[in-house]
Amino acid sequence: AQSVTQLDSQVPVFEEAPVELRCNYSSSVSVYLFWYVQYPNQGLQLLLKYLSGSTLVKGINGFEAEFNKSQTSFHLRKPSVHISDTAEYFCAVSSLSGGSYIPTFGRGTSLIVHP
Amino acid sequence: ETGVTQTPRHLVMGMTNKKSLKCEQHLGHNAMYWYKQSAKKPLELMFVYNFKEQTENNSVPSRFSPECPNSSHLFLHLHTLQPEDSALYLCASSQDWNPGTDGYTFGSGTRLTVV
């Protein structure tokens, strides 16, 4: 079985400050990892994904994430946030479980960017 | 506008009503999904369709009835719902039923309120 833990339910930060949103997962097999963003009144949009290869993954809107196998983490970072980054962020893990790669989602982290 | 369109965006219904949610994808994907999103809970997978065939039903109550007439359209028929069914219902699609590497494309969701 696989699971995802997003350690922070809410992260407030000032505009132009750096931010890190934490994600830890558990799985007994190789995994694929994803971050999705959900803006108010919208569906989820894929930010970035890790499949294999380089552990540092770059995504849209200046976000990046680093896969750390030993710590089973996939934290999302941005060096300088904008007001427009205010949204809900979801980490998801996918592994071959029961013949399917259906992902498991975390509970989400609300990023609140203050002016 | 994403490649997955959901209608209506908002729906208020009484517990004795019958209504339907519609989802249409314009991406040529072969798999479609219904998810339920409740506040501060992980996304709950409800149904999976692959090439119009239902491949997964996550113990969803029978008051929710899916229909997939073709690979581009997905419906969720609702009847005799309960107030705890109020949530955001998200439709998603993926190239095939193993979205492990591509991830999902989500619609904007239908905000359902049961009164």
Side-chain angles (χ1 to χ4, degrees):
Chain A
Q2 60 195 25
S3 66
V4 178
T5 302
Q6 292 186 243
L7 297 161
D8 306 297
S9 61
Q10 198 172 89
V11 173
V13 64
F14 287 106
E15 193 173 19
E16 297 184 9
V19 71
E20 178 180 84
L21 306 183
R22 297 180 292 171
C23 173
N24 287 87
Y25 68 91
S26 66
S27 175
S28 58
V29 296
S30 297
V31 296
Y32 301 136
L33 294 156
F34 304 82
W35 276 99
Y36 288 84
V37 60
Q38 184 178 32
Y39 298 106
N41 302 314
Q42 294 188 29
L44 280 71
Q45 178 184 0
L46 184 64
L47 259 183
L48 49 78
K49 60 185 177 183
Y50 171 80
L51 306 180
S52 64
S54 173
T55 57
L56 184 62
V57 180
K58 294 190 183 298
I60 61 172
N61 301 339
F63 283 93
E64 63 183 30
E66 185 157 20
F67 169 57
N68 188 318
K69 188 174 182 179
S70 62
Q71 297 186 5
T72 59
S73 68
F74 190 55
H75 300 333
L76 181 70
R77 301 186 183 103
K78 187 170 182 178
S80 176
V81 294
H82 301 132
I83 295 285
S84 59
D85 292 322
T86 295
E88 193 85 13
Y89 291 80
F90 294 90
C91 181
V93 62
S94 178
S95 62
L96 186 57
S97 173
S100 166
Y101 278 98
I102 298 291
T104 299
F105 288 84
R107 292 175 179 268
T109 297
S110 291
L111 175 63
I112 302 170
V113 182
H114 297 288
Chain B
E1 183 68 63
T2 66
V4 179
T5 304
Q6 290 187 243
T7 54
R9 293 294 306 274
H10 301 273
L11 178 61
V12 180
M13 59 185 289
M15 289 189 285
T16 58
N17 291 160
K18 289 184 180 182
K19 296 287 184 183
S20 296
L21 310 185
K22 179 182 176 182
C23 176
E24 183 176 1
Q25 57 99 358
H26 316 278
L27 301 166
H29 288 170
N30 297 313
M32 297 184 77
Y33 312 79
W34 281 116
Y35 275 89
K36 177 182 179 183
Q37 185 180 28
S38 304
K40 287 307 172 186
K41 292 176 66 176
L43 268 69
E44 299 174 49
L45 179 64
M46 300 175 73
F47 301 104
V48 180
Y49 277 83
N50 184 43
F51 288 101
K52 306 187 302 178
E53 301 298 321
Q54 187 178 125
T55 58
E56 192 154 337
N57 174 342
N58 264 12
S59 303
V60 180
S62 60
R63 57 186 184 270
F64 295 91
S65 174
E67 179 189 359
C68 189
N70 54 61
S71 294
S72 299
H73 293 86
L74 185 64
F75 295 89
L76 188 62
H77 303 299
L78 317 170
H79 63 97
T80 59
L81 294 191
Q82 305 298 311
E84 60 265 28
D85 296 322
S86 298
L88 182 68
Y89 288 84
L90 291 166
C91 175
S93 70
S94 63
Q95 183 61 50
D96 58 44
W97 77 290
N98 268 324
T101 56
D102 290 334
Y104 291 127
T105 300
F106 282 90
S108 296
T110 295
R111 174 68 63 186
L112 174 66
T113 303
V114 181
V115 297

